[in-house]
Amino acid sequence: MLYLCGAFPSGKLKSRHMRSRIFFLFSFSILFSLSLMAQTGGIRGNVFDKNSGEPILFGTVVLEGTTFGTNTDLDGFFSIPNIPVGDYNLVVTYVGYDSLSVPVQIKSGQYTYQRMFIQESSIQLGTVNVSARKEKAKTDVQISEVTLTPKQIQALPSTGGDPDIAQYLTVLPGIISSGDQGGQLYIRGGAPIQNLILLDGMTIFNPFHSIGFYSVFETETIRSVDVLTGGFNAEYGGRISSVIDIRTREGNMKRLSGLVSASPFMARGVIEGPIKKLEADGGGSSSFMLSAKHSYIDKTSEYLYSYAKSALDSTNTLPFNFTDLYGKVAFLTGNGTKFNLFGFNFRDGVNYQAASLDWNTSGGGFDFTVVPPNSNLIFGGTVGYSDYLISLKESGEDPRMSQIGNVSAQLDFTYFGGQSELKYGILFNGINTDFVFRNFLGVTIKQEDFTTELGGFLIYKQRIGNWVIEPSLRIQLYASQGNTTLEPRFGAKYNASKRFRLKFAGGMYSQNLLSSVNERDVINLFVGFLTGPEQTIYLPGSQTPANNRLQKAIHGVAGMEIDLADNLELNLEGYYKGFTQLISLNRNKLTQQDPEFATETGEAYGADLTLRYETPHLYLWGTYSLTYVFRDNGEQVYPTVFDRRHNVNLLASYAFGQNNQWELGLRWNYGSPFPFTQTLGFYPFVNFLEQGLDTDPKTDNPPLGIIYTDQLNGGRLISFHRLDASLKRTFTFSKTLNMDVTASVTNAYNRRNIFYIDRKTAERVDQLPVLPSLAVTMHF
């Protein structure tokens, strides 16, 4: 017995022995970590274009003779952690630029900041874009994502000779526009309200003007546009279909510059320059940028395009006008920390003979990125406020009005590991709505509400061999709904070889915001907003209460990328979106007692194919989309009005002549027919609720009511196709002064593309006919 006790400690002694072991291991781990930190350091910095001060996107930064390296981000920022102490050469390379090598010293437990300026070489910029895109493709999951640059947008033949993102978006796979005037943007089966549009981190509720060629964004101020058509990670929330994330650049930090431009459609201008110049030897810098554009097509169309009357007006003019203003002040410190202030005001108006519509969006805010001196962690945030007000006045009708105010704040943190990256953040969103809508039966629908949304997200990206994996999680609290959603998401990419990559993504999504625009509308210029219902809603076609009052969806995407040649890329993706609950405003309610909201379910699935060829002189882009979009209202499953089965886009841009002073652009689009609900007959519509029960239908001369077929969207219109062309000539007067003259034609062969047919008069209304134009832009 004594032998046993001596050989095997008692329970108390054993417990004490285990605690001692744990304490020893814990202490050793801490000492080992501190020792490792003491033996390593890190380097971070920014890479800029030497002449313009513009950041270099996705450039390669390595420590010569080692395996330590990374790529710069959209701000030209890079960070390399956990480097053994010592002296190194830091090398930055970027195709189209001369490489640069700088000696650096890595100190124990410290981060060194290095600002680098590289000089553009004789290699053309077209090759640079290819290189940057391929570097990003290797290291990011990048599924259902297209990144646009201003140069790509400017290469597209544009209406009026004024390049705009609104015209470029419809070239992208999976994106459908319903028309030139008041048309809506549908992305892989999602309605416009289900698209999250961001400008420098702030939500823009109505980004497109009533004449559908133009957005509120000035192309010359844009740094990048990320279009995520599905399967996006947990950084984005509050929408169930897609994201368009637009980031503006800082003003020129080297010299005063800008542009002025005029065309038959509008005039625009940009001025920018340094407040304190960006210097190579470090120190802080700052700049400003102002942009403005104003349309006058409502005046010029009477003389230049009198044949192109508006689809909604009987006069021979295009009664659209808009004004967009944007300003930004940027500050950059000597260690990479930056701070931006911005503000905007966007106005839009349409003046018909019998109605007028006006909307205005204004707001402002600031964003910042802080780079602590000796940490693998950087953090940033955005705070902003915006207000959107729209009103529609029709003769003999009560006005419609909608106002939405939004206060938002977000704080995010990014931790850089050797082969990993961890990003997490929290956000607050306050929404105030004021909505008044009177339907054709005289029933008024109103909402005055204030609600808040709180969210948090966590994204972990890890490179493991040939894999890049990106699990993420979003938590969203909807205060007015008393509901918290847990939304797991996942993305992955497998680099099978240098030229072949497989990718996958999926997740769960939710949103509370609704729109007054119905998915069945072909055209609706009045775009109002409401928050989700706070009363009981019911499952489609039943009296069974729904278990929540949110719109929800699940996404699944799989695809592959193939580099067929050095300048030829193919991308193929298949996708599925299951809309498990959709909520819409019941605009046709007969009495005040009827429910204000209706529910549906739906699904969208299909495939997108993209082929891209790019050289310094020639840019070719082709896309094909196969799409199926259905809704289920509990009574029948039917295709939506934007269920375009086949969509093809072909784009070509060719630069030629001395110093590429000429540029020819062509764009051709084909779309298969949209669905519509067919008319069965007519009847005299007598509104007894408004006129009284003693109304005599025989003498009242009531308006016509329409009897529709039972099958929703059972018919199809005719197919759409259009050719746009442009020719640009650049005149160079000096190193900093040049002029672009652009001749363009929209709908070059004057195709009669149907917009809709007036059911009561049987009059066919077409989209815009051939529109030639000449634009002049002076850069200084």
Side-chain angles (χ1 to χ4, degrees), residues 727-741:
L727 182 63
K728 181 173 72 174
R729 170 68 157 90
T730 299
F731 298 90
T732 302
F733 304 110
S734 69
K735 185 178 180 180
T736 60
L737 182 64
N738 63 76
M739 181 176 68
D740 294 334
V741 179

Side-chain angles (χ1 to χ4, degrees), residues 679-727:
T679 302
L680 192 61
F682 301 92
Y683 68 96
F685 173 69
V686 181
N687 189 348
F688 291 102
L689 293 175
E690 187 141 317
Q691 297 174 248
L693 295 176
D694 57 347
T695 303
D696 186 352
K698 294 181 293 184
T699 61
D700 185 55
N701 192 25
L704 280 179
I706 301 172
I707 303 173
Y708 299 95
T709 57
D710 292 335
Q711 178 60 46
L712 290 172
N713 294 332
R716 293 271 173 174
L717 298 171
I718 62 174
S719 60
F720 170 97
H721 54 87
R722 193 179 83 189
L723 174 68
D724 301 337
S726 67
L727 182 63

Side-chain angles (χ1 to χ4, degrees), residues 164-203:
D164 194 279
I165 187 176
Q167 300 174 52
Y168 201 97
L169 286 174
T170 57
V171 176
L172 303 182
I175 298 183
I176 300 294
S177 174
S178 61
D180 299 329
Q181 303 173 63
Q184 305 292 322
L185 206 63
Y186 302 92
I187 302 180
R188 281 190 177 174
I193 185 60
Q194 295 155 8
N195 306 326
L196 177 63
I197 314 291
L198 297 173
L199 176 63
D200 292 327
M202 288 186 58
T203 301

Side-chain angles (χ1 to χ4, degrees), residues 265-281:
F265 282 71
M266 67 177 177
R268 58 193 181 97
V270 177
I271 187 167
E272 56 185 307
I275 299 173
K276 182 181 179 183
K277 286 187 177 182
L278 179 67
E279 302 292 350
D281 57 357

Side-chain angles (χ1 to χ4, degrees), residues 21-35:
R21 279 185 174 184
I22 292 172
F23 177 77
F24 173 76
L25 290 172
F26 180 71
S27 301
F28 178 79
S29 298
I30 292 178
L31 290 173
F32 180 77
S33 299
L34 291 174
S35 175

Side-chain angles (χ1 to χ4, degrees), residues 95 104 216 296 317 365 390 396 489 519 667 778:
V95 178
V104 294
V216 299
Y296 38 69
T317 64
I390 184 171
R489 304 171 191 178
E519 287 190 4
R667 182 259 177 122
M778 183 72 72

